[in-house]
Structures are given as C-alpha cells and as structure tokens.
Amino acid sequence: MSLIATDRVVPATDTSATEGRIVWDAPKSLWWFGHLAGTIIAVTVFPQWDGVGVMLLLTALTVCAGHSVGMHRLLIHRTFEAPLWLERALVWLGTLVGMAGPMGMIRAHDMRDWHQRQAECPHHPSHGAGFWRDAWWQMHCRFDLAHPPRFQIEPQIADDPVLRLIERHWMAQQIPLAVILWALGGWAWVFWGISTRIVLSLSGHWAVGHFAHRQGHQGWRIEGLPVQGYNLPGLGLITFGENWHGNHHAFPHSARHGIEPGQLDPGFWFIRALETLGLARAIRLPDSAPPREGLTRVIPLAAPRERLINEP
C-alpha cells in the first residue's frame, strides 16, 4: 500500500503507518505525575484565590498566545508572518504549556497528521481508543513505528539557534517563570502557576483532541480519509478557537479556525490585534489556498462562502 507524503514526513519504501507498538514514555509520564503532585499541594496546602487567578491568567496567556497562535498557527502551519523576535517569544510561551519544545511539537503534530491522511490509521494517532485508555496513551505513552518515515524540519526552524536552545532545555523553561512567581507570591503561586497550570493545559489539550476526532459538528469532511475532524460548539472561549477542529481539518492553512457565524475564535482575534499593531501580516484565510482533495460540504452555509470565510 503506497503511503501519502507530507511536507515534513517522507515515507521510505519499507515504511508502514500501522506496524508499531505503544510504549510507556517515562520522561513524559513522570513529568505529568510530578506536576500532578504539585497540583495536589496547591489545592490542599495553598487553597487561595490569588493562586487560582494566577493560574488562570497564565493558562490563558500560554495556551492562547503561546500554543494556539505561536506553536500551532505560526510555527507549525505558517498561517501568518511575524517578526522573528515575536515568533520566538510566542513559541517560548507555547513551550511553557509544558507539552514539548518547538521541534517536539512539530514532530508530534505532523506525525499525527501524516497518520490521519493514510488509508488506515491506528488507534493511537486517531484517538480511536476509549476515554481512559486514550488519556493514558496520549499523555503517558508514545507510538513507535517499526519502520518509521523520514522526518524533516525546514532549515528556517531546525537551524534557528534560539529554537534549538528552547528545544534542548524545554522542561527547564519553567524555571525563570517559577522564580518570578516565587518572588511575587511565594510557593503558593509557584504550585498554582506552574504545576496546576501544566496539568490543566495538558489534560485539556488531550480532551479537545480526543473528542474532536470522534464526534461533533461538521461543516466539512475530507472524503476518503479514515479520521475526520469535528467541531466542539460552546468551547470557543476556553479553548481559544482550537475547538473548531473540523474547520481546521478542512482548512489547515487558515489562521482563522472559527469560520462560521457564532464560532468564537480568540486565537484569531489575537492575530488580528497583532496585525493592527503592525506585528502580523500575510494572514491566510480558508480561500488563501486551493481546497483539500476530497473536501466536501456537510451542512449548507448560512451566508455566501466568500463573505463567510474571508470576512475580518
């Protein structure tokens, strides 16, 4: 069976997208459990509202500006352009989410995307397992292919000295923030602003990915693929637009995820704010690239397509 290649994933003649095994990823798992212990300390030893407020504020900053905009829409998909210093800053904020460094995030994202574009996709990259098993697999394990494809990151990213430094010490990026939090609010702010935030962010990221690949609203589908993306209405504000995953599957090149009326997308609002400040340009929308092969409309549009997906 021939395998589809993507920009960063190039299968070899012996590559298989299905032959592999799920193994416990000790560093990733111990990282999560360590911060779970810190979360328990925050809740039981330091049950204070200022800590909760710091956690919520930093979660919004790192997940919206860092993960959704910096890592996902800019670094991975190049849906807009920004000055190099700003790109590095946003990626650093995304690293603070606690999931991986910039290269690790690109690899995890693109390998999952590659799997989901093949004729057959295993349960791990498709989120096909049950709720608890998928949670364990995604947050504590990895899927090792017996014959993996070649993975190539473009030199613009792979050779960037700042991104390479962040990647090499991605877990240690929490330390400067922890020092600041300790100076301002003591250990309570450290446990709330670091450990509790990381556990909430990682668990929330998995939950959105789990449900957004199983069922929900669909505006479009990609015919011929075993894995579809779904929208999760009502979660736009707390996921910063990442809940519109069905739209993202349809238009992965678009900086805007919430493309239909009423689909709130704070991540895109942030990009528009950067544009107003002269810090973002060449912002791509659904019509900025040809439609994906197999793209099919599921629900009729409530407004003309050109107006709907290109309006500010």
Side-chain angles (χ1 to χ4, degrees):
M1 181 185 299
S2 61
L3 298 177
I4 297 172
T6 66
D7 290 341
R8 297 184 179 118
V9 184
V10 182
T13 55
D14 65 341
T15 295
S16 170
T18 57
E19 295 179 16
R21 62 194 184 103
I22 297 170
V23 298
W24 181 54
D25 191 327
K28 181 166 70 172
S29 184
L30 294 175
W31 172 257
W32 191 90
F33 277 118
H35 286 295
L36 177 62
T39 300
I40 295 172
I41 292 174
V43 173
T44 59
V45 180
F46 303 106
Q48 51 196 68
W49 287 111
D50 60 339
V52 174
V54 167
M55 183 269 292
L56 292 175
L57 178 63
L58 288 175
T59 298
L61 177 63
T62 56
V63 173
C64 182
H67 177 79
S68 180
V69 174
M71 284 283 198
H72 193 198
R73 308 190 203 203
L74 178 55
L75 185 71
I76 293 173
H77 286 288
R78 293 293 167 188
T79 66
F80 69 100
E81 296 177 9
L84 182 59
W85 67 266
L86 179 59
E87 178 177 339
R88 289 168 170 171
L90 293 175
V91 169
W92 180 75
L93 285 175
T95 302
L96 289 180
V97 170
M99 200 173 307
M103 283 61 162
M105 282 299 304
I106 293 175
R107 176 178 289 274
H109 176 282
D110 279 34
M111 283 301 297
R112 183 179 305 280
D113 179 67
W114 175 76
H115 272 290
Q116 293 178 359
R117 290 171 182 256
Q118 308 308 312
E120 184 178 356
C121 183
H123 281 332
H124 184 281
S126 69
H127 289 277
F131 183 87
W132 294 110
R133 177 172 292 184
D134 191 55
W136 174 255
W137 281 358
Q138 302 300 332
M139 292 190 284
H140 301 277
C141 303
R142 67 178 186 271
F143 182 45
D144 286 348
L145 288 173
H147 302 285
R150 177 167 56 90
F151 193 84
Q152 55 189 23
I153 298 178
E154 54 270 35
Q156 173 188 355
I157 297 173
D159 297 337
D160 186 294
V162 175
L163 298 185
R164 288 169 64 91
L165 180 64
I166 294 173
E167 175 69 24
R168 190 177 304 116
H169 306 290
W170 71 267
M171 289 184 178
Q173 301 307 311
Q174 307 293 335
I175 295 176
L177 177 59
V179 170
I180 294 173
L181 292 174
W182 180 82
L184 295 176
W187 287 110
W189 281 24
V190 173
F191 285 114
W192 279 104
I194 301 294
S195 291
T196 308
R197 172 182 57 80
I198 288 176
V199 169
L200 177 65
S201 298
L202 297 189
S203 301
H205 179 271
W206 160 75
V208 170
H210 176 79
F211 289 109
H213 287 98
R214 298 175 71 87
Q215 60 184 358
H217 167 268
Q218 270 192 311
W220 290 266
R221 64 176 286 108
I222 312 299
E223 299 294 344
L225 296 187
V227 181
Q228 299 293 324
Y230 298 90
N231 298 322
L232 304 175
L235 300 180
L237 290 179
I238 64 174
T239 66
F240 306 101
E242 294 295 319
N243 60 309
W244 308 117
H245 200 68
N247 297 344
H248 179 57
H249 270 229
F251 307 104
H253 58 273
S254 174
R256 184 177 185 180
H257 292 176
I259 60 179
E260 302 205 54
Q263 294 183 343
L264 304 180
D265 188 354
F268 185 69
W269 302 344
F270 182 73
I271 294 172
R272 283 300 195 197
L274 292 178
E275 181 185 38
T276 300
L277 296 173
L279 297 175
R281 64 185 184 87
I283 299 172
R284 305 179 75 195
L285 295 172
D287 273 0
S288 298
R292 286 189 62 176
E293 182 178 355
L295 181 65
T296 302
R297 186 62 173 147
V298 176
I299 300 174
L301 291 171
R305 184 171 185 267
E306 293 75 19
R307 173 187 158 203
L308 183 64
I309 62 180
N310 285 314
E311 64 184 359

